[in-house]
Amino acid sequence: MTADEPWQPCPPGTLQEIANTQHSSERRTLITRRALFSGSAAVAGTAAVLLLGRLSPHDGLTCPQTRRLAHSYVDGTLNETLTAQVDQHCNHCRSCHEFLIQLASEAPA
């Protein structure tokens, strides 16, 4: 419509259609924001659990300590206390457990 044209009312249903389109757009935006927030929170929570699981000691040993002892563990040269601590750690840490299994499978017989 230009400035020279006279004003005319909208055809019936036009305003409702515009309102419905705006409502749908706002709803999609809200759903997207909630999904992004939920996804971000889930990723952050998972990362925290994994990180805390790797850094927190399991009966005195952390993952880095367990991995440093892994060769001696597989060779059977650790004392009873350290062997028990590695066993206890691996009961709680799947990653270290799998690392020891892999190391043992590669060790010469």
Side-chain angles (χ1 to χ4, degrees):
M1 185 162 127
T2 64
D4 297 334
E5 294 178 39
W7 179 86
Q8 295 180 8
C10 294
T14 302
L15 294 178
Q16 187 61 45
E17 184 180 325
I18 292 170
N20 289 343
T21 301
Q22 182 63 30
H23 178 73
S24 295
S25 176
E26 289 171 359
R27 183 102 173 114
R28 277 192 306 275
T29 300
L30 179 63
I31 290 170
T32 301
R33 285 182 182 162
R34 285 182 180 168
L36 287 173
F37 177 77
S38 298
S40 297
V43 168
T46 301
V49 166
L50 291 175
L51 182 61
L52 290 175
R54 295 226 186 266
L55 296 179
S56 66
H58 297 287
D59 288 343
L61 293 180
T62 62
C63 292
Q65 291 169 327
T66 301
R67 288 174 185 246
R68 278 193 298 272
L69 296 170
H71 287 285
S72 298
Y73 178 87
V74 170
D75 294 342
T77 58
L78 285 181
N79 65 39
E80 288 181 30
T81 302
L82 286 176
T83 299
Q85 287 179 336
V86 170
D87 287 337
Q88 187 64 30
H89 177 87
C90 288
N91 286 337
H92 296 93
C93 180
R94 182 182 182 128
S95 176
C96 287
H97 177 77
E98 290 174 0
F99 178 76
L100 284 175
I101 291 172
Q102 179 67 31
L103 192 62
S105 70
E106 295 170 354

